[in-house]
Amino acid sequence: LARAYNNLGSLLSADPSRADAVQALWEQAIAINERLVIKDSANRQYRMELATYCNNLAALLKDRDQIAEADRRSREAVDLLEALARVAPTLSIARADAHSLRGMILAEDDSQGAEREYTAALELFEQLHADQNLRRLPDFHLRFGDLLLNLAKFPGNRADVARARQLLGRAVAAYADMATRIVASGNRNDAQIAIDNLSRILLEVPEPERTSLTAAYELLQHKLEESSLRK
């Protein structure tokens, strides 16, 4: 029904004298789809169609000098489309881990290819590490830690050691920054997850990067001790 209202509005929109009818039809289409989105928020098709209807109405409202309402509908469409364009965070973790694994596979025979894969993995983790919901997922810490371990072993005695160490330093800095954010949030469970992960990787990371991670570990440990004392 929403599609029928939208399509009829589109047909009538070629006639400027039918602007009132077109606006009413598109508003009906939007109202139906807004209810559908509320009922089934995971349905991407409903959201995509709602964005289309909002854009149609926004363009008409602008032509009719209803600028404030045109802006509201246009913003609604943009927000819907931006949300649809974002990759699910858990899928991003899997993507990052896939790049990290591929880097490990290529490390022996194609160091430049491995470096590209590790860089892609790190860039994904850098985009995600400030998300407090992700910081509560043990899998996020596990996969990020795996990347650190892979980078710690890369690239052996090859000529591009300097670039590899720079990449490791960047990854360590990102994880240490996340630890600082966890401490600032005051969440004990998040701190415990990060400490458990650091415990398994600290000895595998070389200096001076180990010192940075040790500082993050001690900061988290202090937060846990403070929480225990308050109890």
Side-chain angles (χ1 to χ4, degrees), residues 96-147:
D97 188 51
H99 282 294
S100 179
L101 175 60
R102 180 157 175 76
M104 183 174 64
I105 291 169
L106 295 176
E108 289 297 322
D109 300 317
D110 182 6
S111 61
Q112 291 185 349
E115 184 180 341
R116 286 193 297 271
E117 295 297 332
Y118 284 142
T119 300
L122 177 55
E123 286 174 350
L124 285 167
F125 280 123
E126 286 175 331
Q127 293 168 20
L128 299 170
H129 85 282
D131 188 327
Q132 62 179 356
N133 292 319
L134 285 179
R135 296 199 302 260
R136 293 171 182 156
L137 298 178
D139 193 51
F140 175 77
H141 291 268
L142 178 65
R143 301 310 173 192
F144 203 153
D146 287 345
L147 174 62

Side-chain angles (χ1 to χ4, degrees), residues 58 61-62 83 86 111-112 125 131 139 146 150 182 199 206 228:
L61 292 169
K62 180 183 181 299
R86 286 194 292 269
S111 61
Q112 291 185 349
F125 280 123
D131 188 327
D139 193 51
D146 287 345
N150 289 343
I182 290 172
S199 296
S228 299

Side-chain angles (χ1 to χ4, degrees), residues 27-39:
E27 286 173 344
Q28 286 175 292
I30 288 171
I32 291 171
N33 257 64
E34 284 178 335
R35 292 195 294 272
L36 289 172
V37 167
I38 291 172
K39 185 177 180 180

Side-chain angles (χ1 to χ4, degrees), residues 16 26 29 36 39 42 52 54-56 60 92 106 110 112-113 117-118 135 152 155 162 164 191 221 231:
W26 280 341
L36 289 172
K39 185 177 180 180
T52 299
C54 286
N55 269 332
N56 289 345
L60 176 66
S92 292
L106 295 176
D110 182 6
Q112 291 185 349
E117 295 297 332
Y118 284 142
R135 296 199 302 260
Q221 188 68 49
K231 290 182 178 181

Side-chain angles (χ1 to χ4, degrees), residues 149 165 182:
L149 290 174
R165 289 301 296 270
I182 290 172

